[in-house]
């Protein structure tokens, strides 16, 4: 898919959950298909997620040109149904870098963990 | 049935695939839950609600998670997990329209309570058209996205049910706040409590079904036309 994503506004557009999904696609490499991404994001965020939330995010990120997908063969455990494998696109890599840079800028000069007295 | 998974999973082998922790350590070569099936009706609803692009892959992901992780860890409650996943897709298609319709109804009740009118026909007309449009649009958009009429009608009916629940809760909350004699009289003049708590919710659901059908037919028709001309 042709990248039509505005990298300049990436930090505003890319949410935390989207970042989590993109990073798991990056970590899983050639094994990044829907169910594997779901499990990885759940483990990373330490909470149960609706599978639909991950699928909807993958669809949205693909629509934005940050991910591309291809179909792979199914397995018996999924009744032979195909798997959709995702991979990061250059725009996705830029989006992640931009999000990380913004995150670092926001936190620069603040000690972590933030103490109650500092927040007053 | 022998599966590719079972070939790779030898008893007592250290070379276990990822996500295999949930399985019994001494399982035989065959994955113990590879034949487990979620409720057929839930699977049918899921497949109807998915767009054709994702129908196979997403339903396959859910089935794999159900068999490989959920059934071994939750047993009989696994079906509930699956139903919750399907409900997510159904609510995704309908919650916004349902909330819109419910909010319109509560707004109408609020207006009738706080700004009584001599003639309620104008308010009734605006509300009726809002609900008609929302029901048809729900059916249209869902059928257009999924290319399925059944999905459109299902989403429209669910949206109307959500609206009915929102309106009942809204009306009850309003009555909890304003229940003096004058307000109750205004309620009676604009239709009465029975209308707010029984008639309107039931009519809404009936409208969701009946108006979802033409909306969905239109949505599917547009999709077919676009596909043919493309």
């Amino acid at each position: 898919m042709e990248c039509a994503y505005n990298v300049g506004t990436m930090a505003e557009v890319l949410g935390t959950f989207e970042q989590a999904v993109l990073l798991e696609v990056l970590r899983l490499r050639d094994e990044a298909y829907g169910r594997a991404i779901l499990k990885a994001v759940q483990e990373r965020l330490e909470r149960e997620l609706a599978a639909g939330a991950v699928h909807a995010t993958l669809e949205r990120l693909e629509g934005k040109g940050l991910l591309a997908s291809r179909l792979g063969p199914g397995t018996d455990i999924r009744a032979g149904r195909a798997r959709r494998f995702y991979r990061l696109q250059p725009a996705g890599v830029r989006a992640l870098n931009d999000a990380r840079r913004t995150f670092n800028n926001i936190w620069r000069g603040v000690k972590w963990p933030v103490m109650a007295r500092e927040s007053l | 049935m022998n599966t590719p998974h079972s070939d790779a999973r030898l008893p007592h082998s250290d070379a276990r695939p990822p996500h295999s922790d949930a399985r019994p350590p001494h399982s035989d070569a065959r994955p113990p839950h590879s034949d487990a099936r979620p409720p057929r009706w839930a699977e049918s609803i899921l497949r109807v609600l998915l767009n054709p692009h994702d129908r196979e892959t997403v339903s396959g992901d859910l089935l794999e998670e159900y068999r490989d992780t959920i059934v071994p860890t939750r047993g009989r409650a696994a079906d509930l997990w699956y139903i919750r996943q399907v409900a997510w897709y159904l609510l995704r298609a309908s919650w916004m329209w349902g909330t819109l319709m419910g909010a319109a109804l509560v707004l109408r009740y609020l207006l009738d309570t706080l700004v009584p009118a001599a003639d309620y026909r104008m308010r009734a007309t605006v509300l009726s058209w809002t609900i008609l449009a929302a029901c048809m649009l729900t059916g249209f958009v869902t059928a257009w996205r999924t290319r399925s009429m059944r999905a459109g009608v299902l989403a429209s009916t669910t949206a109307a049910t959500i609206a009915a629940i929102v309106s009942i809760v809204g009306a009850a909350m309003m009555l909890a706040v304003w229940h003096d004699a004058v307000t109750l009289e205004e309620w009676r003049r604009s239709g009465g409590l029975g209308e707010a708590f029984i008639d309107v919710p039931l009519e809404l659901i009936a409208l969701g079904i009946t108006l979802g059908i033409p909306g969905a037919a239109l949505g599917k028709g547009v999709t077919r036309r676009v596909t043919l001309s493309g």
Side-chain angles (χ1 to χ4, degrees):
Chain A
M1 180 181 290
E2 192 64 32
C3 168
Y5 203 71
N6 184 355
V7 180
T9 59
M10 200 69 68
E12 292 166 32
V13 177
L14 210 57
T16 307
F17 193 70
E18 288 176 324
Q19 287 181 50
V21 170
L22 283 176
L23 285 168
E24 292 311 331
V25 171
L26 183 71
R27 288 188 185 104
L28 287 163
R29 295 169 181 266
D30 293 340
E31 288 301 312
Y33 72 100
R35 191 250 179 163
I37 298 167
L38 167 68
K39 284 191 79 73
V41 174
Q42 285 187 145
E43 281 170 24
R44 191 71 54 178
L45 299 180
E46 296 177 340
R47 62 188 165 97
E48 189 176 311
L49 301 166
V54 172
H55 285 127
T57 304
L58 287 166
E59 188 184 336
R60 190 169 59 248
L61 292 172
E62 191 177 9
K64 288 175 178 176
L66 307 189
L67 290 175
S69 72
R70 66 174 171 82
L71 288 180
T75 55
D76 280 359
I77 202 161
R78 47 193 291 135
R81 293 171 197 170
R83 286 180 288 180
R84 185 172 293 283
F85 289 90
Y86 294 88
R87 67 171 191 279
L88 269 178
Q89 294 295 91
V93 175
R94 284 198 299 274
L96 280 174
N97 284 328
D98 204 41
R100 178 61 191 246
R101 191 177 308 116
T102 304
F103 180 82
N104 287 342
N105 286 342
I106 291 169
W107 278 89
R108 188 171 298 143
V110 179
K111 274 197 292 186
W112 187 86
V114 177
M115 297 297 172
R117 205 175 55 180
E118 291 177 55
S119 65
L120 291 174
Chain B
M1 182 170 61
N2 233 354
T3 71
H5 299 272
S6 61
D7 294 334
R9 200 177 303 124
L10 298 171
H12 312 298
S13 165
D14 288 328
R16 297 174 74 190
H19 315 306
S20 62
D21 293 349
R23 294 197 184 92
H26 300 290
S27 61
D28 58 18
R30 183 184 176 193
H33 303 287
S34 63
D35 292 333
R37 283 206 77 90
R40 283 184 192 279
W41 62 267
E43 224 181 354
S44 302
I45 290 176
L46 174 73
R47 289 173 69 83
V48 156
L49 287 169
L50 294 167
N51 67 47
H53 179 258
D54 295 325
R55 196 160 284 154
E56 288 301 306
T57 54
V58 170
S59 64
D61 284 341
L62 278 178
L63 183 62
E64 186 181 340
E65 178 72 357
Y66 173 86
R67 287 176 168 173
D68 202 37
T69 303
I70 306 299
V71 171
T73 54
R74 301 191 191 181
R76 289 172 131 186
D79 284 358
L80 268 180
W81 174 87
Y82 195 90
I83 292 165
R84 277 213 317 274
Q85 306 303 313
V86 176
W88 191 95
Y89 283 95
L90 187 56
L91 288 176
R92 183 193 179 206
S94 53
W95 75 268
M96 193 179 73
W97 298 106
T99 309
L100 174 77
M101 285 189 276
L105 271 162
V106 174
L107 183 67
R108 162 81 198 274
Y109 295 150
L110 206 59
L111 275 175
D112 289 357
T113 305
L114 301 178
V115 193
D119 186 353
Y120 289 99
R121 270 180 298 186
M122 182 63 174
R123 291 178 187 177
T125 305
V126 171
L127 180 65
S128 300
W129 280 106
T130 303
I131 287 169
L132 292 179
C135 284
M136 283 193 73
L137 272 170
T138 311
F140 175 87
V141 171
T142 308
W144 175 70
R145 194 176 57 79
T146 61
R147 299 183 194 176
S148 161
M149 252 194 85
R150 281 185 296 171
V153 178
L154 192 61
S156 170
T157 308
T158 309
T161 307
I162 292 169
I165 293 167
V166 170
S167 77
I168 288 172
V169 172
M173 286 172 68
M174 284 172 54
L175 278 177
V177 177
W178 297 289
H179 49 268
D180 55 281
V182 177
T183 305
L184 289 176
E185 175 59 20
E186 285 305 327
W187 272 75
R188 193 195 58 73
R189 280 185 58 226
S190 71
L193 296 181
E195 185 184 58
F197 288 101
I198 298 167
D199 297 350
V200 167
L202 289 178
E203 283 167 14
L204 263 175
I205 295 169
L207 279 174
I209 299 167
T210 50
L211 293 170
I213 294 170
L218 205 61
K220 189 166 182 188
V222 168
T223 310
R224 186 173 291 171
R225 201 175 172 85
V226 168
T227 309
L228 286 175
S229 64

